Amino acid sequence: MQKNLQRIFVGLAAVVSASAFNVSFAKANGWTFTVTNSGDSKIQRIEVSEDGREWGVFEDSSINPGKTSTFEWDASTNNSGCVWQIRAVYKDGPSEPAAFNFCKETELEFDN
């Protein structure tokens, strides 16, 4: 499954481990979504998973309280499913994953 996830993302960090990997997203595709941090704790990073077991990490995805960030999928994800699991990771651990349909939805809000 990890090889499948690796094909989905471009710009992977040089080191890929069995449990996590870093992801960079190109600005060419146009499939964007926003994540709003409505909580009072900083989101350390945003993680996504197609299968809910192996998680990819958006690089530079920290979000301060009260702020919104925009993320963009690479064109290589066009052949993947639309529904992915997404979670915010805080200093004290991850939020519950949310099923998110990136083909239909454009906004996601986390409130710790």
Side-chain angles (χ1 to χ4, degrees), residues 9-75:
F9 302 117
V10 297
L12 289 178
V15 178
V16 176
S17 72
S19 62
F21 49 90
N22 292 322
V23 183
S24 292
F25 292 86
K27 297 282 184 195
N29 185 38
W31 288 92
T32 63
F33 65 100
T34 61
V35 177
T36 299
N37 181 356
S38 295
D40 54 7
S41 296
K42 179 179 180 176
I43 293 174
Q44 301 293 315
R45 65 184 178 275
I46 299 296
E47 296 181 341
V48 294
S49 175
E50 192 169 21
D51 66 5
R53 292 182 303 230
E54 296 189 40
W55 293 88
V57 178
F58 277 88
E59 290 181 355
D60 301 320
S61 59
S62 65
I63 306 172
N64 287 320
K67 300 295 181 181
T68 299
S69 292
T70 300
F71 298 95
E72 186 165 354
W73 291 106
D74 182 74

